[in-house]
Amino acid sequence: MDVHDNIGVQVGDGNTQHLHLPPAPPVAWPVRVGVPPPVADRYQHRAAEAELAGRSAVLSGLGGVGKSQLAARHAHAVWRDESVDLVVWIAAVTRVAVISACADAAERVLRDPGGTPEEAAAAFRSWLGSTDRRWLVVLDDVQDPADLKGWWPPSTPTGQVVVTTRRRDAALSRDDRRLVEVGVFTEAESLAYLTAKLPRHDRLAALADDLGHLPLALAQAAAFIADKPLLTAADYRKRLADRRALAQVLPAEGELPDEHRATVAATWSLSIDRADALRPQGLARPLLEIISLLDPAGTPVAVLTAGNVLAHLAVDADDVGDALGCLYRLSLVTLDAGTIQAHALLQRAVRDTIDPARLTSLAHLAADALLLVWPPHATDSALTTTLRSVTNALHAHTSPALWHPEAHAVLFHAGTSLGEAGPAADALGYFEGLRREAERRLGPDHLQVLHLRNEIAASSGRAGHDADAIAEYERLVADVERILGPDDRTALTVRNNLAVKRAEAGDAAGAVEEFERLLADHLRVLGPDHPDTISTRHNLAGRRAEAGDGARAVEEFDLVLADYVRVSGPDDPQALIARLNIASWRGAGGDPARACAELERLVVDCRRVLGPDHPDTLTARLHLAYWRARTGEVATALVDLRELLADQLRVLGPDHPDVAHTRRSVADLSDVAQDRLEGQLGGADELGVTAEGRGDDPGAADGT
């Protein structure tokens, strides 16, 4: 039993008398200090709740994921457990608030700790470390780990500390307390919550997806819908999709459910301010603005350290890395293996704060950065896939910003990359959608619309729709000659592509005639040394070879190669392609040994000039393996093909058509190695030997 000392009281005559006070009543256990917030029905993280079973933990995560609700559920459960003697809930937003709450707890437990609030709080902390009573202390919404310095409740066998915070600082994690990352709801948790709140609505799983499974957004959206009896979940999704500001599709501050302290946007505002105040000061917010335009599923950090972004921010890459660390520490982004992610609703809330003129400027900044980091060739399938997704997100988030004054080059580049990756049908759909938007914004005769029609024709051909491709090329030739004139370089390029497609469709003889007429026009308009003229001669030689005149074609390839070397040098990529054609058609003409020798030298030069992962280097290796097999070196060729296949899978990805071709070659050659049936190997055309590039670009590939 605690007993107060006698208290001296001064009376009027100056003598001191002692009042003998009765003993203070004993502490009535259990003690409850502070009140946890109410818990929303079914508002829970089952996996995270399991982490709180009898152990101290720091619950960290983005504002709105339900950290406080999770801690409150735990506190209410402990509150009802009479074997727990003390439960303290502290709104720990400042250091002063922590000290004040601990001093209040000291008054309740120690009865009269005396001294200043700091001294009382220190006495309470000491008591926690020495008592054998069971206790729980919850420090909710810690804003700065420094506020807890010297005030962390001690680690004891009978005590538990639960901290909720948006911070991820290293100082928060120790051996005696787990750092638990609290994320968004699972699909099942989201659906269970919305079903309980909106029992008469359907398509709730899709609504949860739209809201990114963020618990706070789910709760506020449910409240918004429930307050409007005529609004269905499907109607709400339409409002959400039409890019309205978040304030228009979520409750206003006065309409929030009782357990919510702030709107979704306001929930993140303080975190953004705090991140921006950390060193390097003033950089986190402008970086987050750029991130808000990109893909919530993940954007390469390299985009944010591209040269144009660094110049715009007037910083270096180290500063950007440190500022991203600030955003990470406040749980505003996640960082993983060179990729940065931000929740889609957080991005939307940030975009709502950017005025339209600056949004257009930032969209072009981000688009330029994407082009700077995009590999020049399809040498990293994972990276190019991500960059295409980021481009699509940038376009969707900022439209029509990337159409001022006309379509940004990154929109064309994403489609070209998609075609290079293999799925021609996907590329066709992409370019058709872009064409419709271009015609609406720019008009049907704009040069970029013509470029998109060329891409559509090319993609149709690659998808196996030769008749559609030829018909579109024919219409395009007529329109380009009407708009630009028959001698315009774009018109000549489209005629080239039409001739190539006719040859691929089986009319090699007709293609030869078209290329002969086209060559005459190139010589007249551009001259004999123009790269387009030499390319046309290259294509003509290839078409003659396909038409059966292989000997003459090889002679013309030799002349073309000589002109490439004379005009552009021996390392011109087109010269390398000419060498590939020469070697392969020589092999088809009956000299596979010479073809192998030339291809061996070509592979060395391709690796030196283009790099080992360039698609043309991989193609040269495929041809070399083929002709080695034709010379009888089947085992060596099979080893080469298997090594090539591994590199193609790494570089191009499993869905690329070249990968499928090599797989078939490995299977066929394995049969040959087993049965020695060399007759199973076809001619050079089965390798996909083609002439120099078709000139698919009608003159607007740079988007200008």
Side-chain angles (χ1 to χ4, degrees), residues 237-423:
R237 292 185 64 214
K238 292 177 182 177
R239 293 191 188 187
L240 196 63
D242 70 5
R243 299 178 61 209
R244 301 185 189 196
L246 279 179
Q248 296 177 288
V249 292
L250 292 174
E253 187 171 345
E255 302 168 342
L256 292 174
D258 289 343
E259 66 271 16
H260 294 174
R261 290 172 289 190
T263 63
V264 168
T267 296
W268 295 315
S269 179
L270 179 60
S271 296
I272 297 171
D273 289 342
R274 285 188 173 272
D276 205 44
L278 296 173
R279 293 182 299 172
Q281 292 181 348
L283 186 53
R285 185 185 298 276
L287 272 176
L288 187 59
E289 288 180 341
I290 298 172
I291 293 167
S292 75
L293 311 183
L294 305 174
D295 190 356
T299 296
V301 172
V303 174
L304 301 173
T305 56
N308 68 315
V309 176
L310 298 180
H312 170 77
L313 298 172
V315 297
D316 61 24
D318 289 340
D319 291 329
V320 169
D322 292 345
L324 293 177
C326 296
L327 293 171
Y328 175 81
R329 285 164 64 187
L330 269 297
S331 298
L332 292 165
V333 301
T334 59
L335 290 166
D336 181 30
T339 299
I340 189 163
Q341 293 177 286
H343 193 279
L345 287 187
L346 169 62
Q347 290 181 302
R348 187 164 178 169
V350 173
R351 291 197 302 273
D352 286 347
T353 67
I354 305 173
D355 67 78
R358 202 157 62 86
L359 184 71
T360 296
S361 175
L362 289 177
H364 281 258
L365 178 78
D368 292 342
L370 286 169
L371 290 178
L372 286 175
V373 303
W374 213 301
H377 304 284
T379 56
D380 188 334
S381 59
L383 175 59
T384 54
T385 298
T386 298
L387 292 175
R388 289 194 297 272
S389 181
V390 175
T391 300
N392 292 337
L394 175 64
H395 187 198
H397 292 158
T398 65
S399 183
L402 295 183
W403 289 92
H404 292 294
E406 57 185 10
H408 193 283
V410 76
L411 299 177
F412 292 88
H413 200 77
T416 301
S417 171
L418 187 59
E420 290 176 349

Side-chain angles (χ1 to χ4, degrees), residues 433-447:
L434 206 58
R435 173 192 174 176
R436 289 191 292 271
E437 188 169 7
E439 288 181 335
R440 177 167 54 87
R441 297 185 183 280
L442 306 175
D445 289 348
H446 193 280
L447 185 61

Side-chain angles (χ1 to χ4, degrees), residues 532-555:
D532 288 3
T533 303
I534 301 174
S535 295
T536 301
R537 291 170 52 206
H538 196 168
N539 280 332
L540 175 57
R543 305 292 80 83
R544 281 181 172 148
E546 291 169 357
D549 196 353
R552 182 180 178 185
V554 170
E555 293 176 1

